[in-house]
Amino acid sequence: MSESSLTCDSLLRNATIAIAGESPRLDAELLLSYVTGLSRTSFRAWPERQVTATEARRFEALVQQRASGHPVAYLLGEQEFWSLPLKVNASTLIPRPDTECLVEAALGLPIPDDAQVLDLGTGTGAIALALASERGRWQVLACDAVASAVELAAENAQRLNLPVTVVLSHWFDNLPAGRFDLIVSNPPYVASGDHHLGEGDVRFEPSSALVAGDDGLDDIRVIVATSPQRLSANGWLMVEHGFDQGNAVRDLFRKAGLVAVETRRDYGNRDRLTLGQWPG
Ligand code: GLN
């Protein structure tokens, strides 16, 4: 490798071309920052800075993986959610910015200061940890049906020093007894034949976290039908869903006896979550 090929600027230029996709320059900067420990702003302030040949090789290996589609979050092993640095791995979904809308909506609900809260299918722990970070007195329980996700969420809770308990349970199957003032979930909600399963990051994410039957509603049906047995009087259920599932999900909520049923939108102004209250 020649001297000039070891500057941040030349590495980033070549990587940006190799990566292509939606945000190649950003992806390249994140990867180079990860390998070198240098900040992204330093690449602009000091583009001629040299990295070592070893760093350049490690960077190029990551760039190749990125170019073949591997999500940046999996390559870095980390994704920020609600300003919390979360560890991620291929056993769970990568937390999405739109799911922060669910956190925001949950924080706006009229529930007790010492509410009992449940996050169903927590994955990295993103929603549960965001809620715990904002409400020190909420008792937050999180579950996942995948053992490696339970391990990951528990590790994130420990690293962030947030008091979230994580248990292995497929939806409500193995939860401790008791009722909740708030149940939240970002369940799988993609239809099995959906073309976007073949595009972008989702190709590398576990289908157990994404796909829910022919219409994408299989898991939401189970969660909504069972929640009334697990909600306190006046407790709330809130689930994330696909942009075109608002009508169907509101129907399921009402059929289960929930009231004040409402769908809210995400940052792209698409239907993204539905909430409702259990009158008791
Ligand atoms: N929003 C995700 C997507 O990009 C789906 C997440 C989920 O199924 N919970 O498809």
Side-chain angles (χ1 to χ4, degrees):
M1 238 175 284
S2 76
E3 286 276 289
S4 64
S5 70
L6 292 177
T7 68
C8 291
D9 189 52
S10 98
L11 288 166
L12 287 171
R13 276 172 202 275
N14 290 332
T16 301
I17 294 164
I19 290 172
E22 271 177 36
S23 53
R25 173 77 192 193
L26 171 65
D27 295 355
E29 288 184 7
L30 288 167
L31 294 173
L32 190 58
S33 170
Y34 172 70
V35 166
T36 60
L38 300 169
S39 72
R40 282 179 49 220
T41 45
S42 80
F43 302 143
R44 220 143 295 161
W46 190 358
E48 299 309 317
R49 184 165 180 159
Q50 304 248 340
V51 306
T52 67
T54 310
E55 286 170 333
R57 268 194 300 275
R58 282 186 59 209
F59 174 66
E60 271 156 15
L62 290 171
V63 167
Q64 265 179 30
Q65 285 188 276
R66 178 63 192 133
S68 61
H70 290 268
V72 177
Y74 286 160
L75 297 176
L76 304 182
E78 195 171 290
Q79 169 74 40
E80 191 166 286
F81 180 81
W82 200 262
S83 298
L84 303 171
L86 299 178
K87 277 193 73 171
V88 300
N89 64 39
S91 65
T92 74
L93 202 71
I94 299 163
R96 308 281 202 273
D98 284 325
T99 302
E100 294 180 348
C101 296
L102 185 147
V103 172
E104 216 174 304
L107 293 173
L109 290 173
I111 61 173
D113 288 346
D114 58 351
Q116 300 287 332
V117 177
L118 170 65
D119 176 15
L120 290 167
T122 197
T124 59
I127 298 172
L129 294 166
L131 295 176
S133 76
E134 295 288 339
R135 294 287 183 272
R137 294 186 57 210
W138 285 7
Q139 306 280 312
V140 185
L141 176 68
C143 74
D144 205 284
V146 176
S148 47
V150 171
E151 216 172 282
L152 180 68
E155 186 184 342
N156 278 323
Q158 200 193 8
R159 279 160 50 106
L160 296 165
N161 197 22
L162 289 168
V164 169
T165 306
V166 193
V167 297
L168 182 68
S169 175
H170 181 242
W171 307 135
F172 297 94
D173 291 354
N174 286 303
L175 292 182
R179 289 184 180 258
F180 299 91
D181 301 294
L182 170 62
I183 298 175
V184 293
S185 185
N186 175 14
Y189 55 72
V190 180
S192 51
D194 193 315
H195 67 89
H196 103 273
L197 292 168
E199 299 162 10
D201 285 1
V202 293
R203 287 172 300 165
F204 295 83
E205 294 175 293
S207 70
S208 64
L210 288 163
V211 180
D214 291 346
D215 62 358
L217 292 170
D218 279 7
D219 290 295
I220 292 181
R221 273 190 278 270
V222 172
I223 290 169
V224 176
T226 316
S227 282
Q229 299 160 32
R230 287 305 206 123
L231 282 169
S232 313
N234 302 317
W236 293 85
L237 172 66
M238 187 179 282
V239 298
E240 181 173 319
H241 54 70
F243 71 93
D244 53 357
Q245 293 171 333
N247 271 327
V249 175
R250 285 194 301 279
D251 269 358
L252 292 170
F253 270 54
R254 293 194 184 105
K255 283 190 183 125
L258 295 156
V259 299
V261 176
E262 189 193 333
T263 296
R264 306 249 180 106
R265 301 194 149 193
D266 63 19
Y267 297 122
N269 206 30
R270 293 158 304 202
D271 282 357
R272 184 57 62 197
L273 65 101
T274 291
L275 60 156
Q277 192 172 26
W278 175 241

